[in-house]
Amino acid sequence: ALLAVWLLWRGVRWWFRNRYRRDALAELRRLELRWQADPDSGPAVLSALPVLIKRCALAAWPREQVASRSGTDWAKFLQDHAGHATHGAQALAPLVRDIQYHDTQALKRVSAHDVHVLIEASRQWIQGHVST
């Protein structure tokens, strides 16, 4: 009985600690559905992905470790904390390093394939990152 109570406690604790992941994945799904319904929304989706990743990281790490990071430093942070989502973090590097600073016209030139890859990479990182 004691083991069952301990396992239940651990499961509930894990569930509450990972709420931010579920929320981020739900938001990512909404962005993905928006893009699938309207492929012209690609620039808006690409602009929203770095914000979503940053919010997810802010929920997992102290603000002083995350908030000020940008560009290459931010890409390295994502890579360093990717856990089993290493491939996703590598694919996110151009998004957080370059794409988020482009204007709408430049984002319109990003192919549908690349938008899909970045959505999947975001999903992998949200699911697989390892917070300390």
Side-chain angles (χ1 to χ4, degrees):
L2 189 58
L3 178 61
V5 170
W6 181 77
L7 288 172
L8 179 64
W9 174 76
R10 297 248 323 160
V12 169
R13 194 170 141 212
W14 176 87
W15 189 83
F16 278 110
R17 276 200 282 176
N18 284 289
R19 180 176 180 186
Y20 75 95
R21 288 181 203 258
R22 291 188 303 279
D23 292 345
L25 289 169
E27 177 64 23
L28 181 62
R29 183 68 181 141
R30 284 189 288 276
L31 289 170
E32 183 178 27
L33 290 172
R34 176 182 173 190
W35 174 68
Q36 289 172 348
D38 178 16
D40 291 336
S41 68
V45 169
L46 288 173
S47 295
L49 288 177
V51 175
L52 177 61
I53 297 295
K54 183 74 84 151
R55 271 196 343 247
C56 185
L58 283 167
W61 286 275
R63 184 171 197 78
E64 57 273 0
Q65 289 183 16
V66 176
S68 64
R69 294 181 188 264
S70 63
T72 303
D73 183 43
W74 179 226
K76 183 176 178 345
F77 179 89
L78 294 177
Q79 184 76 36
D80 290 347
H81 296 88
H84 68 270
T86 305
H87 177 69
Q90 290 170 349
L92 285 175
L95 177 70
V96 300
R97 193 178 53 237
D98 301 323
I99 291 178
Q100 69 177 336
Y101 302 110
H102 290 188
D103 63 9
T104 303
Q105 292 303 319
L107 293 178
K108 284 182 180 180
R109 292 190 293 272
V110 176
S111 72
H113 176 267
D114 289 343
V115 173
H116 176 72
V117 166
L118 290 169
I119 289 171
E120 285 305 312
S122 298
R123 181 174 289 113
Q124 287 176 13
W125 192 86
I126 292 167
Q127 290 174 334
H129 71 268
V130 177
S131 58
T132 53

